[in-house]
Amino acid sequence: MSENFRSIETKFLDKTNRISFKYNGKKYYGYKGDTLASALLSNGVHLIGRSFKYHRPRGIMTCGSEEPNAIVQIGGNGSFTEPNVRATEQEIYEGLEASSQNCWPSVEFDIGGINNFISPVIPSGFYYKTFMWPKKFWYSLYEPAIRMSAGLGKSPTQPDPELYDHNHLHCDVLVVGGGISGIIAASISADNGNNTVLIDDKNSLGGSSIYQNNENFKIDDEISSIWLDKKIKELKNKKNLTIKRRTSLAAFHSYNYLLARENLADHKSLDKRLNKLRQRLWKIRAKKVILATGAIERPLIFNNNDRPGVMLANSVKKYIDYYGVRCGDKNIIFTNNDSAYETAISLNKKGINVSIVDIRNNSSSILVKNAKDAGIKIYWNNTVVNTKGYRKIKSIQIMEMSKDGTNVVGKKTNLPCDNLSISGGWTPMVHLFTQSGGKLKFRDSDQIFLPNTEMSDQISVGSCNGDFELDDVIKNTVSECKNFISTSVTDYDSLKVSCPKQKENKNIWLLPNDKPLGKTKPFLDFQNDSTAKDIKLAMREGFKSIEHVKRYTTTGMGTDQGKLANMHALGIISETAGVKMGSLGTTTFRPPYTPLTFGTIVGRNVGTFFDITRKTPIHEWHKNHKAEFENVGQWKRAWYYPKDGESMHQAVQRESKAARESAGILDASTLGKIDIKGTDASEFLNRVYTNAWSKLGIGKCRYGLMLNEDGMVYDDGVTTRLDENHYVMTTTTGGAANVLSKLEDYLQTEWPELDVWLTSVTDHYATASVCGPNSKNILKKLFPILEFNDGNFPHMSFKNTELDGINCRIMRISFTGEHSYEINIESKYGKSLWEKCMDAGKEFNITPYGTETMHLLRAEKGFIIVGQDTDGTMTPIDLQMDWIVSKKKYDFIGKRSLYRSDTMREDRKQLVGLLTDNPNEILEEGAQIVQDEKKQPIEMLGHVTSSYFSPNLNRSIALAVVKNGKNLKGQKLLVPMKDKTINVTVSDFIFFDSKNERLNA
Amino acid sequence: MFIITCPFCGERDQSEFSAGGEAHIIRPKQPTELSDDEWADFLFMRKNIKGVQFERWNHAHGCRKWFNVIRDTSNDKIHAVYKMGEKPPSD
Ligand SMILES: [Zn+2]
């Protein structure tokens, strides 16, 4: 049984609700309301982990989100495990399991601790300097070694089983922070009829004022915490006010758009979390924002200031006054200001041994007088020069400071202790303010950055705005809020506030020592193990910008984002460089303020909800007939239909043969379809396609190629003239949405004079494409009233008709080179149409084929697929499609670019066919093509864009883009692969039926 | 994440819109009469101002209309929104 450090009764914990939890496998007890940190401290556990670089023992230092050391793994090895959780924020629950991170084999005995003794050879920039060379050592030696020793927690190896949600919130006023100024602000705002939301990251409101029991702090003649408690109770019944606890603001973007994470379950035991929401991400749009984010205490920077038991003074006060936990039995406060005396007085009142080391000469504060009156020993004008104790602090050594504060004089005094509470003053939390684009100013008197000019409708109140005295906080919060929400009267106008005033303040960023800097370890960034020495070394090596020094030394780059370290780093840089602190700027504060788990960021958009899945109306049929599917954009398209254990290759060979020998059927519903109407529709098509459209007869179809203004092929497809002023355009499956928005862009911005109306009808129609020598016979059976002879229904024409009373559009067009028909019908009849085609085609062995066969068949014919054979750098001329580019038209999109010197170069990459010397060898798509393997560097001539084994030609075929390809027909080229080089010959790219005889077969 | 006032729909979240680059670049009426340099100037050259910039925006997940926005790129402040074909407000 561990020692009990819970000495004081406290109203903030539920003493009737005792909770057991495990830390590093050992069972401990705490109470409901405890954080993991307060519960561990109550059991006398200080040592939590090992530091990142030197593996020095580290303990709990703070009581909030700024905690750099007490970072733990929650949960065991299961899917609920989470790394990098701050013990100071994690509330305990029955059955909680937590363990130390970054220590191996255990926190008590850590092998990496050897780094501590070799630390003189780990200077700043060590990783950059050491591991650069030789390069081959990186993979075999350096990286595995660094990974072993630098592990900051374990990622879960199983999917996250918990639920997360996203929600929008709109309000008049958002108040961030539930301390005394936030509570006053929220109350004023709500009283004035504003729809107000107050968020706070803790489980209870009140901030640090709620446990302020010092009699010097009074509001309306009551101790400030008692007054505040009443106000909080009043808030709960206020109209217009929503309070969200356990909700931390992650990001503050421009236009008052904010993201907040509400924690709904992390404080509950696992059995109560099943199938419940864990966290909710609030997307907040607030008309006005009031930031009351408070301030965090600064550490002091001196030799060995990182031992377990060295804590921030105000945190020690919270542990005793809020959680009833004493952090030590022999406490020393080390301070440069008056506020730490509150901690000393609190401890003293509870009968706990405490003394004070103060770098100042004296102070006239009432707090100091109280401390003196209570008989607390104060060592004025002294600084700590060393600390001792490995797993926990055992003693400190202090020395008197020289008059100017730059040195120490006299003899060392040894003071035994088991806790050292340090306070270097206060830093306003301006992170969120600067995230929103706000600019800071520097206040010399207490060396702090403050909000200066803001970009959106917002104010900062309380200590985040530089008010640290209770009377100033209340007076200024009230007056700022009145101004901000335009009201003249509030409940807080005549409050009587009394409090001790901060008197002398002495700021020294790096405290003096009797030893040279090289022999000491004054830590700045506890999480990343960077010291004042590292900063100075970086500056000696020429780094000047704060952003560069930060990255070189990794100061402020831990999961705490340097909440404690950044100000001291800036201070030491400015002192060393001899420039004013205010002129140095700060590092950028980036969202999130505290880390967010991935689950919260993605919310419900996981698994099948990650993206939209589009299915054609015939999808179920494909599924029932064992189709394999491929993703094309968001569409699921039938890829091939394996029969009786066929491989993909076997299925595709069978489908391809059937389509050419008798009949095949393809689901072409995914092709983009745009309905075009208006008196200028023909003129519009003239401008967007490379070929001419005015003379296309009604009922006729035409293939069109669309370019970008830079002359490169953008999309293609067949467009049909349904009527005088009515066309339907088809686009590629993947390009449909982009083509529509491109056409809309031109219509609205360049050619507003055109009377043209575009409507996407992709989803309105289902399309079955029937091809092959027997396609005509199948269509005849389906549509007995239609004439199918070439005179009546020729290739590239269209008929409006009916199938069992349902309207159909039939286009006789072909992407396979076969005689073929595309039947379009209203979507809901798509599956029925397909089934009727299958029935009618049964006697002709109609064979459904997928996208792979479609690609193969069109490759045999040398038809391009935009996006596969083109990549945004191919002109129609490069594709040897000069025939489709009108010379007569004055202009079309991209025309002028075809005459630029670059697009007219003869040696551009051009589309060609490739035949392997060995007809059974199939090239890999993407394979590089060269002429000479010996001459280094090898010149890359191009690459294979499409490659198949053609069952109809009984050999492999490929399309490729090759430099100067047009002039290379018949030439031998090489395709070097990993294990061999393949010999190929450049050929024509139409491999099959080059006279198009089958179209009319 | 700023808010844009679509001239047709009103105030909407930025996520409903897509940006379309610099505004008031008019497609030449007689491209064939331009030199390579002049055409390249139209085709490729765009300003990238830190400060007040004239931009095209499309209410892609709304009315699908294109319009012009005057935006300060340094702080995302929108000074004016006006329809295609309209002149920018003078002040
Ligand atoms: Zn709109």
Side-chain angles (χ1 to χ4, degrees), chain A residues 255 285 709 745 748 891, chain B residues 13 27 36 39 56 66 76:
Chain A
Y255 285 68
R285 196 64 92 160
E709 204 69 273
D745 187 353
Q748 289 180 31
D891 191 16
Chain B
D13 198 278
R27 189 174 187 273
D36 269 12
W39 179 250
R56 288 157 19 102
W66 283 91
D76 285 341

Side-chain angles (χ1 to χ4, degrees), chain B residues 6 8-9 59 63:
Chain B
C6 170
F8 305 94
C9 309
H59 196 183
C63 63

